Amino acid sequence: MNYTLNQLQIFLKIVQTQSVTKASEELHLTQPAVSIQLKNFQGQFDIPLTEVVGRKIYITDFGREIAEAAENIINQVNAINNKTFAYKGQLTGKLKISVVSTGKYVMPYFLADFMGQHPGVELLMDVTNKNKVVKSLENNEVDFALVSILPTKLNIQKLDLLQNKLYLVGNTTKKFEKGIKTKDIFKELPLIFREKGSGTRQTMENFIERNDVSVLKKMELTTNEAVKQALLAGLGYSIMPLIGIKRELHNDELQIIPVQGLPIKTIWSLIWLKGKNHSPVCVSFLEYLKKEKEHIVQDKFNWYEEY
């Protein structure tokens, strides 16, 4: 047998996600590349590791045993790497962060230099909706979470990073006058909502309820990117975070519609369970953020001030 560490990592991720597509997304590889590596890996065994029924992949009992062995091997390799970095006096370990979906436009900028300074740190970042982010923090599955709406039922500590602004947004086929009354415009515009559990959805619903307006609900989509594509196609309008539409605004593909009461302003905050015993990696990351966050905001998000 001549399987590689890369094949072990890919197979383990397929087992964990139960999907070649999801595995490719989490590994930042193309689906064909993952499929080829899976085929090459399976070809080295006389017993099937997976079965495909319909369009769904299933892991055989033998495949699960191989996945368990693969995980042990990968952990040992990581341990060797950590010992090497530690011997050189470098910071080592895992940094686990759960990020709300729109936060994917924010968090990488607060991570990039830190990760570059500490090659021995392994980043595990999960991007999902607010409910799942809060749940992973509550279950102590992650070190930190990035949210724009603070959970009310958890005892947490926080570090504020960046202001979050939400505007009514649509494509540029129709022009709007300034100072439109909230109740008037929402009677005419079909609105596109994020799914339940989304922080953006919660903020949007709070605004609608607070202003006592009736809306023509058009559709519900599960990602910020899906909402953006629907807006570009002219399917409707939505209240969206400014952070995710920089390029489309600069290219005049989307416009901010001037409405009384907008923008809604919240804060992107890194949160963690109060009293959590942080690892050296987490302590170092917090120290880095406290020292560098203002510089990062000025350097990477100065375009924010245009709106």
Side-chain angles (χ1 to χ4, degrees):
M1 291 187 180
N2 192 30
Y3 42 78
T4 65
L5 181 61
N6 184 47
Q7 288 173 340
L8 292 176
Q9 291 171 326
I10 287 174
F11 180 65
L12 179 59
K13 184 60 67 174
I14 291 171
V15 173
Q16 292 171 341
T17 61
Q18 299 286 301
S19 166
V20 171
T21 300
K22 290 180 181 178
S24 65
E25 290 173 354
E26 294 192 14
L27 292 168
H28 305 290
L29 298 170
T30 65
Q31 187 172 331
V34 171
S35 297
I36 289 170
Q37 290 299 323
L38 174 61
K39 181 180 179 181
N40 292 341
F41 183 60
Q42 290 190 116
Q44 300 182 65
F45 298 90
D46 296 329
I47 305 172
L49 302 178
T50 64
E51 297 175 324
V52 178
V53 179
R55 300 182 65 181
K56 184 172 177 59
I57 190 170
Y58 294 89
I59 313 303
T60 65
D61 290 340
F62 179 66
R64 294 192 179 280
E65 291 189 22
I66 296 300
E68 184 177 347
E71 185 172 19
N72 291 334
I73 293 170
I74 292 168
N75 287 339
Q76 289 297 315
V77 170
N78 289 336
I80 292 171
N81 292 337
N82 288 342
K83 289 180 185 296
T84 303
F85 285 118
Y87 191 78
K88 294 179 179 179
Q90 298 180 15
L91 190 67
T92 66
K94 294 182 179 181
L95 179 60
K96 295 179 286 186
I97 304 177
S98 188
V99 177
V100 294
S101 57
T102 312
K104 67 185 177 186
Y105 302 107
V106 177
M107 199 69 236
Y109 295 101
F110 290 93
L111 284 162
D113 284 348
F114 178 80
M115 297 301 297
Q117 293 169 15
H118 303 288
V121 173
E122 180 185 357
L123 173 65
L124 302 173
M125 189 170 80
D126 181 41
V127 180
T128 184
N129 69 31
K130 175 179 173 271
N131 280 3
K132 293 179 180 177
V133 166
V134 172
K135 195 68 176 178
S136 64
L137 189 69
E138 183 180 10
N139 293 338
N140 202 29
E141 297 169 352
V142 295
D143 302 308
F144 301 106
L146 181 71
V147 296
S148 60
I149 301 175
L150 297 176
T152 56
K153 298 181 180 180
L154 284 183
N155 196 5
I156 60 165
Q157 292 177 272
K158 70 182 178 75
L159 178 65
D160 293 340
L161 299 181
L162 178 72
Q163 188 178 73
N164 183 33
K165 303 176 186 178
L166 295 97
Y167 290 89
L168 182 65
V169 179
N171 69 14
T172 54
T173 56
K174 183 178 179 180
K175 299 302 179 183
F176 296 87
E177 297 179 0
K178 292 184 178 180
I180 306 170
K181 292 183 179 180
T182 308
K183 289 187 177 182
D184 292 340
I185 197 165
F186 281 97
K187 288 178 181 177
E188 300 177 7
L189 299 183
L191 278 185
I192 300 173
F193 287 71
R194 281 286 305 278
E195 81 286 2
K196 291 183 179 179
S198 158
T200 300
R201 163 76 171 252
Q202 182 180 341
T203 302
M204 187 171 170
E205 289 182 332
N206 289 344
F207 173 80
I208 291 170
E209 181 179 352
R210 188 168 60 249
N211 287 274
D212 189 28
V213 295
S214 300
V215 299
L216 177 64
K217 183 174 177 180
K218 185 70 174 181
M219 64 179 67
E220 181 178 299
L221 300 173
T222 58
T223 67
N224 190 69
E225 191 63 31
V227 172
K228 184 163 62 177
Q229 293 303 319
L231 298 187
L232 290 169
L235 290 175
Y237 301 80
S238 189
I239 295 177
M240 295 190 68
L242 176 64
I243 196 71
I245 55 174
K246 176 184 177 182
R247 184 182 65 185
E248 289 76 15
L249 288 173
H250 284 184
N251 292 342
D252 291 324
E253 296 172 317
L254 292 178
Q255 65 172 319
I256 291 174
I257 301 168
V259 176
Q260 293 177 2
L262 294 176
I264 303 166
K265 295 181 180 180
T266 60
I267 299 292
W268 288 109
S269 299
L270 193 73
I271 63 174
W272 59 94
L273 292 176
K274 189 172 183 179
K276 182 174 176 62
N277 186 19
H278 283 310
S279 70
V281 169
C282 296
V283 171
S284 181
F285 182 53
L286 281 177
E287 291 174 350
Y288 164 81
L289 287 179
K290 290 173 183 177
K291 180 182 177 181
E292 299 293 338
K293 69 170 187 173
E294 295 301 329
H295 170 73
I296 294 170
V297 170
Q298 292 173 9
D299 185 43
K300 303 299 182 182
F301 299 98
N302 59 342
W303 63 273
Y304 236 49
E305 300 306 318
E306 297 176 22
Y307 300 93

